[in-house]
Amino acid sequence: MTTAPIDQLDRRAALVVVDVQRAFDDPRWGTRNNPGADRNIAALIQAFTAAGRPLVYVRHDGRDPAGTLHPSQPGNRLKAYVEEHEPDLLVTKHVNSAFHGAPDLNSWLTGQGITDVCIAGITTNHCCETTARVGGNLGYNVYFAIDATHTFDRLGPDGTLMTGDELMRATATNLHGEFATVVTTEELLHRVRTGASGR
């Protein structure tokens, strides 16, 4: 599995919303890309909820008490538009992959008979990409909604700046056809709203 085309999206596909937390609005993170990411994430949450499809939220609980993602900090909370909808499962984690949190995401998906996962959230090249890689390795059909993610400019080890857009393109190239099928929000919304399924 892992690289099925979008027209084969299963009717029971789950949306996994990764780390859409208020901390990432803090300017200390630097310059972000894709200002439309939040709008696209919200649209996916609304569409999956309306269609009665499984919805999973993932929250990163940082271990550093001074960090913006620590549970004692206001930035740990999910963004307001995410909190408007109740998920079927909330996973909390301390590392990048949503499959290494609690409750165990793999066990829950398996118990629900879910084989397809759609990933959106923050950040593109860290927790979203890592979740997609692990999901692909576990045998899921992974659909990565690239424009329903965003990231930040970062300095490489050689001191060269890579922009968020460049990092996003790298993630798409790394994942597509290997760990996941990279799709747009619009493609995913069309499949969910029409109820179409290849299986």
Side-chain angles (χ1 to χ4, degrees):
M1 294 192 286
T2 76
T3 58
I6 188 65
D7 62 1
Q8 292 185 16
L9 181 71
D10 190 82
R11 291 181 186 275
R12 285 284 296 158
L15 178 64
V16 179
V17 181
V18 180
D19 300 353
V20 182
Q21 293 165 257
R22 302 178 191 212
F24 291 109
D25 291 333
D26 191 308
R28 285 177 288 180
W29 288 91
T31 302
R32 68 168 275 185
N33 78 326
N34 192 19
D38 290 289
R39 179 183 65 249
N40 290 335
I41 295 167
L44 288 172
I45 291 171
Q46 291 167 0
F48 272 73
T49 300
R53 292 179 180 244
L55 178 62
V56 176
Y57 288 165
V58 183
R59 189 186 72 220
H60 190 94
D61 289 350
R63 294 187 184 275
D64 179 3
T68 58
L69 290 166
H70 190 269
S72 67
Q73 300 293 333
N76 178 260
R77 286 187 60 182
L78 299 174
K79 293 191 180 187
Y81 71 84
V82 177
E83 292 183 330
E84 291 176 3
H85 300 272
E86 190 71 24
D88 297 285
L89 179 71
L90 171 65
V91 175
T92 61
K93 62 180 180 61
H94 304 294
V95 295
N96 301 102
S97 169
F99 286 96
H100 292 83
D104 183 77
L105 179 57
N106 183 44
S107 295
W108 186 84
L109 292 169
T110 301
Q112 298 292 318
I114 295 170
T115 60
D116 292 12
V117 294
C118 306
I119 296 175
I122 308 168
T123 64
T124 310
N125 53 316
H126 294 119
C127 295
C128 293
E129 181 173 344
T130 305
T131 297
R133 286 172 177 263
V134 175
N137 283 170
L138 289 171
Y140 291 95
N141 291 313
V142 178
Y143 297 88
F144 196 90
I146 190 70
D147 59 346
T149 71
H150 78 76
T151 190
F152 300 91
D153 295 357
R154 287 182 66 86
L155 283 175
D158 62 353
T160 301
L161 180 73
M162 288 191 70
T163 68
D165 286 343
E166 290 172 328
L167 291 166
M168 181 175 280
R169 287 196 298 273
T171 289
T173 303
N174 289 337
L175 293 179
H176 190 67
E178 182 69 26
F179 300 97
T181 300
V182 176
V183 298
T184 65
T185 297
E186 191 55 44
E187 288 174 313
L188 197 48
L189 287 173
H190 175 72
R191 300 305 301 178
V192 172
R193 288 169 174 166
T194 61
S197 174
R199 299 194 301 283

